[in-house]
């Protein structure tokens, strides 16, 4: 049973949308959006169960929240390599439908200032860019579908007073924008306007470590001159 406040909130939202001349979503669209969320949830069921990913519907959009735990090293903008499989599944699922993809980075309220990142704004935006590159590398999503945003700590989803709350606030959100075309079946795929993929060491944390080890092994020490046998020494002495 709806309360007076809920009814007032609904009327206010309806009036605002009418003012903006935004049509209400059709029942068919709402049903299609629910089914799309179920499809994403099924694809990422393991990650949702492990608390690595959260999925929700906001207005006409589906928001996939990638939590820092299991995806990024603390204070770093490179993904932990095991998270590659998650992004591959996401890219395959997202690429099946059209629509803009807004990737936004978020942090908790604890200040950060390092040689790489001047602030939480810096780190949050850099993580969002990393996710975009990883999604393009893992799938066939055209770059013109993406938009990148960095919010620092200004849009928390939980309290910053507890470790658990701060952990939820440190996230990258993949916001999938849909319209009524979601109801119709797609008859083809977007043109593959894919940017050149970045090397793994620029996206994944332990890939960078492996790259440094490989480079170290590649730098060989100068070869020592071969040791002469006693026969060689004797022949050299005889020839003088």
């Amino acid at each position: 049973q709806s309360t007076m406040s809920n009814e007032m909130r609904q009327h206010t939202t309806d009036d605002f949308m009418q003012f903006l001349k935004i049509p209400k979503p059709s029942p068919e669209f709402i049903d299609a959006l629910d089914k799309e969320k179920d499809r994403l949830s099924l694809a990422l069921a393991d990650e949702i169960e492990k608390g690595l990913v959260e999925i929700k519907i906001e207005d006409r959009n589906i928001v996939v929240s990638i939590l820092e735990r299991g995806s990024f090293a603390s204070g770093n903008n490179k993904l932990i390599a095991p998270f590659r499989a998650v992004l591959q599944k996401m890219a395959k699922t997202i690429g099946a439908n059209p629509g803009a993809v807004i990737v936004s980075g978020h942090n908790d309220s604890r200040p950060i200032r390092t040689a790489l990142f001047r602030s939480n704004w810096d780190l949050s935006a850099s993580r969002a860019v990393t996710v975009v590159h990883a999604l393009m590398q893992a799938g066939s999503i055209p770059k013109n579908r993406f938009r990148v945003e960095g919010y620092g700590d200004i849009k928390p989803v939980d309290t910053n007073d507890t470790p658990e709350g701060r952990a939820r606030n440190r996230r990258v959100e993949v916001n999938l924008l849909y319209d009524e075309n979601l109801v119709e079946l797609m008859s083809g795929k977007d043109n593959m306007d894919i940017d050149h993929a970045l090397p793994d060491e620029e996206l994944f944390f332990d890939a960078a470590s492996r790259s440094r080890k490989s480079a170290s092994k590649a730098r060989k020490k100068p070869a020592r001159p071969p040791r002469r046998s006693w026969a060689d020494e004797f022949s050299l002495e005889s020839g003088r």
Side-chain angles (χ1 to χ4, degrees):
Q1 185 177 358
S2 62
T3 64
M4 181 69 73
S5 60
N6 287 337
E7 290 177 1
M8 290 179 64
R9 188 181 301 112
Q10 183 62 48
H11 285 308
T12 303
T13 303
D14 292 345
D15 293 343
F16 182 67
M17 292 182 70
Q18 183 62 33
F19 173 74
L20 294 177
K21 296 183 179 180
I22 300 174
K24 288 185 179 179
S26 66
E28 293 81 9
F29 173 78
I30 294 174
D31 182 60
L33 197 63
D34 285 334
K35 289 179 179 178
E36 179 68 359
K37 176 180 177 289
D38 291 341
R39 192 169 73 94
L40 277 165
S41 299
L42 182 62
L44 301 173
D46 291 342
E47 290 72 29
I48 293 172
E49 185 178 355
K50 293 174 183 176
L52 304 178
V53 170
E54 296 176 355
I55 300 180
K56 61 184 176 181
I57 291 178
E58 286 187 355
D59 298 326
R60 297 166 176 264
N61 311 327
I62 295 176
V63 180
V64 181
S65 295
I66 301 172
L67 304 183
E68 181 192 66
R69 172 176 166 264
S71 58
F72 287 96
S74 179
N76 201 291
N77 68 335
K78 290 182 180 177
L79 287 159
I80 299 172
F83 205 74
R84 183 200 310 261
V86 182
L87 292 173
Q88 287 173 340
K89 287 191 286 186
M90 282 185 60
K92 183 178 180 180
T93 308
I94 293 170
N97 286 319
V101 181
I102 302 175
V103 182
S104 58
H106 304 263
N107 285 341
D108 61 30
S109 61
R110 293 180 301 178
I112 180 174
R113 186 176 182 85
T114 67
L116 291 177
F117 307 110
R118 295 164 292 179
S119 65
N120 277 319
W121 294 92
D122 235 354
L123 178 58
S124 64
S126 185
R127 284 180 169 180
V129 170
T130 295
V131 169
V132 167
H133 279 293
L135 286 172
M136 286 197 299
Q137 181 172 311
S140 300
I141 308 174
K143 62 182 179 182
N144 59 4
R145 286 182 57 188
F146 287 102
R147 195 166 81 204
V148 177
E149 299 173 348
Y151 288 101
D153 61 350
I154 67 172
K155 287 192 173 184
V157 293
D158 209 327
T159 179
N160 278 303
D161 296 330
T162 65
E164 294 79 14
R166 289 193 295 271
R168 289 197 66 223
N169 290 333
R170 297 191 299 272
R171 68 200 188 279
V172 173
E173 290 185 347
V174 181
N175 199 327
L176 310 175
L177 278 59
Y178 297 99
D179 56 24
E180 292 288 340
N181 292 325
L182 179 64
V183 179
E184 302 176 4
L185 294 175
M186 291 299 297
S187 59
K189 295 182 180 180
D190 291 328
N191 293 328
M192 304 304 183
D193 183 19
I194 307 302
D195 204 353
H196 293 294
L198 293 179
D200 283 356
E201 56 266 24
E202 293 189 26
L203 296 175
F204 298 98
F205 187 73
D206 59 350
S209 176
R210 290 197 303 271
S211 177
R212 286 192 297 270
K213 290 179 181 178
S214 299
S216 177
K217 290 180 179 178
R219 291 193 296 268
K220 296 181 179 179
K221 296 180 180 179
R224 294 180 178 178
R227 294 183 61 184
R228 297 191 181 99
S229 67
W230 65 268
D232 292 330
E233 293 288 347
F234 179 79
S235 62
L236 285 172
E237 289 294 331
S238 300
R240 288 181 180 177

